Amino acid sequence: MTVSRDDAVNLVSTACRHLDDENWAAFLELCDPAFRYRIVVRAPEVRREMIWFDQDYAGLEAMFAVVPEHLRRLGTFLRHVSVGSIEPRGTGKVLATSTFQCIHTDMEGRSRLMAAGRYLDEIRNSADGCRLVDRQTILATRDLGVGSHVPI
């Protein structure tokens, strides 16, 4: 069964909402057990791609369990995502390419852009519905500041 455009858009949007709400369990429910999440940055000054984060499902689950112990940026996050293309990847998978902005609002109510970039999400259908198989976050932003502890 193929993933429809509407299903892909809904999955990407729902995943972002769960990250905004820091509902880690609900985010992981949208992920395939083989899920892998990477954050990469293309830095012209070093002339190569840097990998800032690379975790599988179990690694994310373990990280989410210790988030309360991390140095945190206080306030809330809001991800604005725009799904662009949905491309078939064979065997019932699609690649959804999206642009995003992650906005941080501090405890005094001031909002500022924290990060911008692209999501490359590989999505497949399963018996339980659409699932994220792979997410690569390609950041345009290279200075995230202190206290960034969760996937963007």
Side-chain angles (χ1 to χ4, degrees):
M1 178 193 288
T2 255
V3 178
S4 73
R5 178 173 181 75
D6 286 346
D7 288 343
V9 169
N10 287 338
L11 180 64
V12 171
S13 298
T14 301
C16 287
R17 188 177 70 246
H18 291 324
L19 290 174
D20 289 346
D21 295 341
E22 297 190 3
N23 189 343
W24 316 129
F27 174 77
L28 287 172
E29 285 176 16
L30 300 176
C31 300
D32 189 85
F35 181 66
R36 179 152 222 88
Y37 184 91
R38 284 176 308 288
I39 299 174
V40 298
V41 177
R42 293 189 175 109
E45 59 272 7
V46 295
R47 295 187 206 123
R48 65 175 43 161
E49 182 178 274
M50 297 182 291
I51 299 172
W52 282 3
F53 187 81
D54 188 359
Q55 288 293 330
D56 61 7
Y57 185 99
L60 276 174
E61 192 172 40
M63 185 192 77
F64 289 149
V66 296
V67 163
E69 299 170 27
H70 287 209
L71 175 62
R72 299 185 44 119
R73 184 177 299 201
L74 298 178
T76 60
F77 294 96
L78 178 67
R79 289 157 184 85
H80 175 76
V81 65
S82 177
V83 179
S85 65
I86 307 291
E87 301 169 25
R89 297 294 269 203
T91 63
K93 294 180 185 175
V94 298
L95 178 68
T97 302
S98 311
T99 56
F100 74 88
Q101 297 175 350
C102 184
I103 299 156
H104 176 255
T105 302
D106 67 19
M107 300 301 285
E108 285 77 41
R110 292 180 300 249
S111 297
R112 73 172 188 88
L113 181 65
M114 186 189 94
R118 251 180 236 297
Y119 291 136
L120 303 179
D121 289 319
E122 188 173 76
I123 299 168
R124 75 168 181 86
N125 257 330
S126 73
D128 300 323
C130 288
R131 294 290 179 260
L132 287 167
V133 176
D134 187 86
R135 170 170 276 182
Q136 181 166 297
T137 300
I138 302 170
L139 286 176
T141 306
R142 294 192 314 271
D143 182 357
L144 298 178
V146 178
S148 301
H149 63 276
V150 297
I152 296 169

